[in-house]
Amino acid sequence: MLIQRTPSNIILSSEITPREVFEQRRQFIKQIAAGAIGGAGLLAMANREAFAQNASAQKLAATKNPAYVLTESKTTYKDATTYNNYYEFGTDKADPAQTAGSLKTRPWTVSIEGEVNKPMKLDIDSLMKIAPLEERIYRLRCVEGWSMVIPWIGFSLSNLIKKVEPNSKAKYVEFTSLADKSQMPGLRYGVLDWPYVEGLRMDEAMHPLALLSFGMYGEVLPNQNGAPVRMVLPWKYGFKSAKSIVKIRFTSEQPKTAWNMTAPREYGFYSNVNPEVDHPRWSQAHERRIGEDGIFTKKRNTLMFNGYSEVASLYSGMDLRKFY
Ligand SMILES: Nc1nc2c(c(=O)[nH]1)N[C@H]1C(S)=C(S)[C@@H](COP(=O)(O)O)O[C@H]1N2
Ligand SMILES: [Mo]
């Protein structure tokens, strides 16, 4: 068929689209032509592009902490905010970016309770002010075998722990995520025993690496990444880092954890990244860095404690195969 060249269809898309977006589309079309992207991938990529054009997050100032930087390049904001695990908003990686808009992050109160001298309920905006906000670039590795490098904003959880003064019975810390059916569509499904709960031993929680996080990439946390406050524990599999926390409880007994209750053979309490202990259904020796997933890209070797060897002394004398 012959196409009539009218003034309206001779305009090149490069003239009406910002150059960067245009370049991305061109790259995208090349990849489709090369057969590198399947149907599901196509949809996911379209969603990512849409999201990037809507980003209007609030800035969050923080001082870069030079002790926590990496030479590896950062994961793009787009990947970090559109490829998520947040089952309260659906089990597909693309779900949270699409459905977490319904999460209301103000007002928000975090209750700190249990074996402490000074239990308190802190409004999120007061909690954010108890210590200076730092930017720390951490690797985070999911138990599923992928990882990201993200500039998080927050401070060591130890700042909060010291403030509430744990008593001598406090041996563990339990984190509880919000579970509100009216805001979280995923709660309709019994994939996990809601609310999402996670836990740490007291010395792990006090380790400076254990980050209480309020933001990433210079902005407040996007809802899908766990707004308004989450944990980031870079030496443990990603699921230990609970999102959208409403309660922090100090206990004398080891707390139950959501993933351990669901699949005790697969997910233990410690869940330190360990390339030598396979998941019962797959190897943990390697990982795919999100953004490096071209067909010819080699996977990376997973490192013990995800490369954070400074935590090793917390586990000296423990059999990390038994305490997985
Ligand atoms: N409340 C809650 N927290 C959660 C999850 C979840 O489903 N619900 N998923 C965990 C898993 S499996 C991972 S890998 C990380 C992912 O964090 P990210 O989406 O910011 O990369 O969040 C963790 N925290
Ligand atoms: Mo994960």
Side-chain angles (χ1 to χ4, degrees):
M1 189 175 104
L2 211 106
I3 297 169
Q4 268 273 288
R5 294 222 164 243
T6 66
S8 65
N9 70 16
I10 56 171
I11 302 172
L12 290 169
S13 63
S14 58
E15 295 175 85
I16 51 167
T17 312
R19 194 195 153 94
E20 212 189 316
V21 175
F22 174 68
E23 290 295 337
Q24 260 175 19
R25 282 196 194 129
R26 226 176 38 177
Q27 184 59 28
F28 182 32
I29 289 162
K30 275 205 303 218
Q31 284 177 277
I32 301 171
I37 302 169
L42 264 170
L43 257 175
M45 290 188 69
N47 290 336
R48 283 178 206 190
E49 185 166 329
F51 182 78
Q53 288 165 347
N54 292 333
S56 58
Q58 196 191 318
K59 297 276 172 268
L60 188 61
T63 312
K64 289 184 176 18
N65 185 330
Y68 308 104
V69 291
L70 295 169
T71 52
E72 296 148 52
S73 29
K74 281 181 264 182
T75 302
T76 65
Y77 177 84
K78 230 199 267 182
D79 280 339
T81 57
T82 53
Y83 189 91
N84 300 102
N85 270 339
Y86 196 168
Y87 279 16
E88 289 87 333
F89 291 102
T91 53
D92 196 272
K93 297 285 177 286
D95 286 343
Q98 289 172 339
T99 64
S102 54
L103 178 67
K104 218 175 137 238
T105 59
R106 292 291 185 289
W108 189 280
T109 309
V110 180
S111 172
I112 303 123
E113 50 189 75
E115 304 292 353
V116 291
N117 295 332
K118 295 184 175 164
M120 46 183 90
K121 285 187 173 21
L122 282 172
D123 170 71
I124 186 69
D125 295 301
S126 323
L127 175 58
M128 278 171 70
K129 288 185 192 114
I130 70 160
L133 293 176
E134 299 172 15
E135 179 180 277
R136 298 184 184 182
I137 302 174
Y138 281 173
R139 279 183 216 101
L140 192 64
R141 188 197 189 278
C142 178
V143 75
E144 295 164 346
W146 49 269
S147 60
M148 299 200 197
V149 171
I150 295 180
W152 301 101
I153 297 173
F155 47 72
S156 294
L157 175 68
S158 62
N159 291 289
L160 178 62
I161 298 180
K162 287 176 197 150
K163 207 172 149 70
V164 297
E165 298 179 8
N167 65 34
S168 60
K169 289 191 214 146
K171 298 280 185 285
Y172 296 90
V173 192
E174 176 197 66
F175 304 89
T176 307
S177 298
L178 180 74
D180 180 353
K181 279 201 170 106
S182 72
Q183 303 183 57
M184 300 170 136
L187 295 188
R188 272 182 279 155
Y189 308 100
V191 267
L192 288 174
D193 197 357
W194 313 110
Y196 194 99
V197 279
E198 259 307 333
L200 295 173
R201 212 172 54 193
M202 201 59 177
D203 57 342
E204 298 180 302
M206 284 297 291
H207 195 280
L209 269 178
L211 188 75
L212 190 65
S213 173
F214 306 91
M216 58 193 241
Y217 297 88
E219 300 174 350
V220 300
L221 284 171
N223 291 352
Q224 61 269 38
N225 294 87
V229 58
R230 68 173 294 171
M231 284 302 298
V232 186
L233 301 156
W235 72 98
K236 291 178 179 280
Y237 290 119
F239 67 88
K240 294 294 291 180
S241 298
K243 294 177 167 179
S244 308
I245 295 168
V246 290
K247 186 164 74 183
I248 300 176
R249 193 168 66 98
F250 293 76
T251 65
S252 55
E253 305 283 320
Q254 183 176 302
K256 288 187 169 159
T257 63
W259 280 103
N260 180 250
M261 286 188 278
T262 303
R265 236 172 48 83
E266 303 190 1
Y267 309 109
F269 178 78
Y270 285 94
S271 297
N272 291 316
V273 175
N274 187 344
E276 285 161 25
V277 177
D278 289 346
H279 183 278
R281 292 182 280 137
W282 60 80
S283 157
Q284 292 290 30
H286 307 284
E287 69 204 60
R288 180 168 65 91
R289 178 66 46 82
I290 299 300
E292 291 182 347
D293 28 21
I295 27 174
F296 299 115
T297 311
K298 270 178 71 182
K299 286 190 170 191
R300 289 171 178 263
N301 291 329
T302 287
L303 304 170
M304 187 63 203
F305 300 119
N306 203 21
Y308 295 91
S309 52
E310 63 262 50
V311 299
S313 61
L314 296 174
Y315 310 102
S316 55
M318 276 176 80
D319 179 354
L320 292 179
R321 287 178 178 273
K322 186 165 168 232
F323 298 99
Y324 59 91

